[in-house]
Amino acid sequence: QVQLVESGGGLVQPGGSLRLSCAASGTIFSINAMGWYRQAPGKERELVAAITSGGSTNYADSMKGRFTISRDNAKNTVYLQMNSLKPEDTAVYYCNAERVYYTNRHGIRVVGDYWGQGTQVTVSS
């Protein structure tokens, strides 16, 4: 009953920019942390960046200075601005929401962690 819907992926040339969005839907009261992960072919899923409801952020070292994560708590939406993209940034990018407090269909307040379906980012000339 909580869904994460990502958008904004696509094909971009090296050095270009993309902005990813992820909106959480459902009867949500709060979300502790939201973040972005990515998985390239043949590799494990890795953290890109994360942000708490209070605005504290964490970035993977290779993304620092190029990527910026932000969040709109009122819209339960997280964004990832990606600049100076490199071919090695090519991957499926997944949105994650940690400790989502919401009301289920039985009217009970529950908490859970959720993933989006992923959006493809391809950096190529």
Side-chain angles (χ1 to χ4, degrees):
Q1 294 172 319
V2 172
Q3 285 190 319
L4 303 182
V5 179
E6 299 130 333
S7 60
L11 173 64
V12 64
Q13 292 186 342
S17 298
L18 281 175
R19 188 186 192 219
L20 305 183
S21 299
C22 171
S25 63
T27 310
I28 296 170
F29 291 96
S30 66
I31 303 175
N32 181 33
M34 300 185 79
W36 291 95
Y37 290 72
R38 70 184 186 186
Q39 187 166 19
K43 295 187 177 182
E44 294 186 352
R45 191 173 297 190
E46 62 175 351
L47 172 71
V48 175
I51 184 168
T52 68
S53 58
S56 297
T57 58
N58 181 42
Y59 293 91
D61 287 343
S62 61
M63 285 60 146
K64 289 180 180 178
R66 298 190 300 124
F67 292 6
T68 302
I69 191 169
S70 60
R71 177 172 171 175
D72 186 332
N73 290 330
K75 296 181 178 180
N76 293 320
T77 299
V78 64
Y79 307 95
L80 184 69
Q81 178 67 44
M82 304 185 293
N83 299 327
S84 303
L85 284 163
K86 306 174 183 180
E88 51 263 42
D89 293 318
T90 296
V92 178
Y93 284 70
Y94 295 91
C95 176
N96 173 262
E98 178 185 280
R99 297 191 68 79
V100 181
Y101 291 85
Y102 68 100
T103 300
N104 67 11
R105 62 180 179 273
H106 303 299
I108 300 172
R109 186 174 297 190
V110 294
V111 60
D113 298 341
Y114 294 90
W115 290 91
Q117 80 285 356
T119 185
Q120 177 70 45
V121 172
T122 302
V123 184
S124 175
S125 55

